[in-house]
Amino acid sequence: MEREGVRMDVGRFSYFAEKYNRELEELSAKIYALAGVDPFNLNSPVQLSEVLFDKLAFDAKGVKRNARGA
């Protein structure tokens, strides 16, 4: 695969890219609505933890603080 490459249907790829980007936007909007706060970066662990544990007061018991589980 590295030397020969992979065939790709560009039209089909574009279709799936649009479809899943739309779905991602819809899901993000639902998350923001459920959280009841201004949009925040869902990919930011810091911002996400602020919303979940500070603003929404979810219990952090049992949540790993880092990749090692500490």
Side-chain angles (χ1 to χ4, degrees), residues 25-40:
E25 289 175 10
E26 291 171 7
L27 290 172
S28 296
K30 286 181 183 179
I31 290 169
Y32 299 139
L34 288 170
V37 296
D38 292 330
F40 56 95

Side-chain angles (χ1 to χ4, degrees), residues 43-68:
N43 293 318
S44 167
V46 172
Q47 291 181 24
L48 188 58
S49 67
E50 283 178 12
V51 170
L52 291 175
F53 304 120
D54 297 339
K55 294 181 181 177
L56 298 177
F58 277 87
D59 185 15
K61 183 179 178 185
V63 175
K64 291 196 283 185
R65 295 283 181 187
N66 59 31
R68 293 180 309 224

Side-chain angles (χ1 to χ4, degrees), residues 2-3 7 12 16 22 24 29 33 38 45 47 52 62 66-67:
E2 289 179 23
R3 281 185 261 136
R7 287 184 164 263
R12 196 84 169 136
F16 283 115
R22 234 181 355 261
L24 180 60
D38 292 330
Q47 291 181 24
L52 291 175
N66 59 31

Side-chain angles (χ1 to χ4, degrees), residues 8-20:
M8 184 173 77
D9 182 343
V10 177
R12 196 84 169 136
F13 181 81
S14 296
Y15 164 78
F16 283 115
E18 288 178 31
K19 176 183 175 182
Y20 291 116

